C-alpha cells in the first residue's frame, strides 16, 4: 500500500510520500504532493521554460554526437522516435508513437518511486519518466534521474519489441521478487542490463544501457577503455555481483542479443534466488578464476 500525505485539518490528500534511495542530506526535489496513489502525475509540459527546453537540446545533441561507434545499432535506430531534439517531448504524443509499435506508454512521475510501484508500472507496460530536468550546473552529472536521463537513456529501446517484452517481464518478476525478499538480487540484474548493459556487435561491444547512453563520460569508457572488466552475460553471476553507484563501473556484462537477454530471464527465478543466496557475493571489480573477458571495441 502506498503511503499518503494528508493535511489532517482539511482532509486534503497532499500526494504520496517522497522517496529516497541510499543516503544523502538533500531532500528529493520532485513535487510528490501532486502525484497519484500509483506515483504517476501530469507532465505539465507547459510549465517548462525556454531555458529548460534549451538545456534538453544541448544534452541531447551532446549524447547523440557520441552514439556512432559506441551505442548499439538498435538504440541508434530507435532514438529518432523521441521526436524533435530541440524541446522536451510531450509524453502523450510520445506514448502514441510508442503504443502503436510495442503497446508501451510513458507516464510522468515526480522522481524516484518505491520498488513495488515501479514494478507494477513496468508490468503494465507503462514506463515512469521523471518530469523535471536538471539545473544548468548539473549539465555533466545529476544525482537523481531526470527527464533527460529517462527519455534519452530508457525510452528508445522500448520501441524494440524484444527489449520491450523484457522490460514488462522484469516488472512482473519484480512484483514476485518483492514477495520473496529478493529485490536486491533483481536490482542487480536491472543495474547490469537496463542501466549499464553492453551488447556484442560485429565491430566489438556497444552500449545499450541507459546509464551509459545518457552519460557524458561513461559511454566511451565502457566501450573503449581497457580498464573495466567486460564479462559475458551470466544471470547468476550478475545477481551475486555488487555494483558501484558513485563511479564508473568496474565490471560490465555483455549480451549477445536482446533475445538472449529475454530467454535467460524468462524462467521462474525462485530456484535461482535460492542458489544465489547460497553463494558468496562478488565485489564489483572481481574477475573469477577461468572467467573470459571481452576486449574493448576496435
Amino acid at each position: 500500500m502506498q503511503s499518503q500525505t494528508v493535511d489532517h485539518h482539511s482532509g486534503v490528500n497532499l500526494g504520496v510520500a517522497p522517496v529516497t534511495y541510499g543516503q544523502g542530506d538533500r531532500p528529493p526535489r520532485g513535487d510528490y504532493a501532486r502525484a497519484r496513489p500509483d506515483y504517476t502525475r501530469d507532465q505539465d509540459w507547459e510549465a517548462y521554460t525556454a531555458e529548460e527546453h534549451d538545456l534538453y537540446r544541448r544534452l541531447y545533441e551532446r549524447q547523440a554526437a557520441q552514439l556512432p561507434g559506441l551505442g548499439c545499432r538498435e538504440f541508434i535506430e530507435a532514438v529518432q522516435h523521441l521526436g524533435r531534439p530541440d524541446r522536451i517531448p510531450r509524453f502523450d504524443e510520445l506514448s502514441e508513437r510508442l503504443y502503436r509499435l510495442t503497446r508501451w506508454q510513458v507516464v510522468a512521475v515526480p522522481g524516484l518511486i518505491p520498488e513495488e510501484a515501479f514494478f507494477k508500472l513496468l508490468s503494465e507496460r507503462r514506463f515512469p519518466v521523471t518530469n523535471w530536468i536538471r539545473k544548468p550546473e548539473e549539465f555533466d552529472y545529476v544525482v537523481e534521474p531526470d527527464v533527460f536521463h529517462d527519455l534519452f537513456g530508457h525510452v528508445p529501446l522500448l520501441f524494440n519489441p524484444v527489449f520491450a517484452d523484457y522490460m514488462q517481464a522484469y516488472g512482473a518478476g519484480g512484483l514476485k521478487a518483492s514477495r520473496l525478499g529478493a529485490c536486491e538480487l533483481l536490482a542487480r540484474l536491472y543495474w547490469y542490463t537496463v542501466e549499464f548493459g553492453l551488447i556484442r556487435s560485429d565491430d566489438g561491444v556497444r552500449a545499450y544501457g541507459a546509464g551509459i547512453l545518457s552519460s557524458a563520460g561513461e559511454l566511451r569508457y565502457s566501450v573503449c577503455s581497457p580498464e573495466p572488466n567486460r564479462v559475458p552475460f551470466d544471470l547468476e553471476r550478475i545477481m551475486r555481483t555488487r555494483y558501484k553507484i558513485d563511479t564508473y563501473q568496474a565490471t560490465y556484462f555483455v549480451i549477445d542479443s536482446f533475445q538472449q537477454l529475454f530467454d535467460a530471464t524468462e524462467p521462474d527465478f525462485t530456484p535461482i534466488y535460492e542458489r544465489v543466496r547460497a553463494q558468496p557475493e562478488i565485489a564489483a571489480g572481481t574477475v573469477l578464476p577461468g572467467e573470459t573477458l571481452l576486449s574493448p571495441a576496435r
Side-chain angles (χ1 to χ4, degrees):
M1 181 177 180
Q2 310 297 351
S3 58
Q4 304 288 310
T5 303
V6 176
D7 183 334
H8 293 288
H9 294 291
S10 66
V12 175
N13 184 351
L14 301 180
V16 294
V19 178
T20 58
Y21 290 103
Q23 296 180 344
D25 297 328
R26 184 176 55 78
R29 72 180 74 181
D31 185 359
Y32 288 81
R34 301 181 64 184
R36 306 177 184 95
D38 64 355
Y39 277 86
T40 64
R41 54 156 297 163
D42 295 333
Q43 182 188 10
D44 288 340
W45 188 87
E46 293 78 9
Y48 294 125
T49 66
E51 291 75 16
E52 288 175 325
H53 285 298
D54 187 63
L55 179 59
Y56 175 87
R57 176 192 62 79
R58 291 190 292 118
L59 288 163
Y60 187 110
E61 290 178 350
R62 179 183 64 178
Q63 290 309 113
Q66 293 194 68
L67 292 178
L70 299 176
C72 71
R73 172 183 52 81
E74 294 87 345
F75 183 89
I76 293 174
E77 291 176 352
V79 75
Q80 62 184 319
H81 290 299
L82 292 180
R84 292 171 49 181
D86 62 340
R87 65 180 187 181
I88 299 169
R90 291 179 179 269
F91 292 180
D92 54 352
E93 295 177 356
L94 181 57
S95 289
E96 289 180 7
R97 298 193 293 272
L98 186 56
Y99 190 83
R100 284 198 298 268
L101 291 178
T102 61
R103 295 295 189 255
W104 272 81
Q105 296 173 291
V106 294
V107 292
V109 292
L112 295 172
I113 65 176
E115 291 173 334
E116 284 270 355
F118 180 67
F119 295 147
K120 189 171 189 301
L121 288 173
L122 294 187
S123 72
E124 297 168 345
R125 297 177 91 90
R126 303 165 73 204
F127 191 84
V129 175
T130 303
N131 74 314
W132 54 262
I133 192 166
R134 67 193 72 182
K135 302 296 184 183
E137 58 269 25
E138 298 172 306
F139 188 80
D140 290 325
Y141 177 74
V142 62
V143 176
E144 300 171 60
D146 70 338
V147 68
F148 175 76
H149 166 82
D150 285 344
L151 283 177
F152 188 91
H154 284 287
V155 172
L157 283 181
L158 293 176
F159 285 91
N160 179 282
V162 178
F163 193 82
D165 287 346
Y166 168 68
M167 290 295 289
Q168 181 184 26
Y170 181 89
L175 292 172
K176 184 175 182 179
S178 65
R179 298 193 297 270
L180 298 173
C183 285
E184 181 179 358
L185 302 182
L186 201 66
R188 292 172 180 170
L189 175 62
Y190 191 90
W191 186 269
Y192 281 120
T193 60
V194 178
E195 290 289 358
F196 292 96
L198 298 178
I199 187 171
R200 293 181 195 247
S201 77
D202 292 339
D203 298 315
V205 295
R206 295 291 186 267
Y208 73 89
I212 302 174
L213 290 162
S214 62
S215 168
E218 193 158 3
L219 179 52
R220 182 165 297 279
Y221 173 85
S222 67
V223 173
C224 300
S225 172
E227 294 183 25
N229 306 316
R230 299 175 183 85
V231 180
F233 177 88
D234 182 305
L235 179 61
E236 294 187 26
R237 163 74 154 96
I238 287 175
M239 288 188 177
R240 293 174 57 198
T241 305
R242 296 193 296 270
Y243 55 81
K244 295 180 177 294
I245 63 172
D246 54 356
T247 65
Y248 293 165
Q249 299 305 299
T251 297
Y252 298 93
F253 290 90
V254 186
I255 61 174
D256 294 325
S257 66
F258 293 136
Q259 190 63 51
Q260 178 203 21
L261 181 62
F262 180 78
D263 292 344
T265 56
E266 191 174 20
D268 179 15
F269 279 8
T270 304
I272 297 175
Y273 294 145
E274 294 175 357
R275 290 197 299 270
V276 169
R277 286 190 177 115
Q279 302 178 74
E281 292 186 331
I282 302 170
T286 302
V287 178
L288 300 180
E291 196 161 53
T292 300
L293 299 182
L294 303 178
S295 301
R298 298 192 293 270

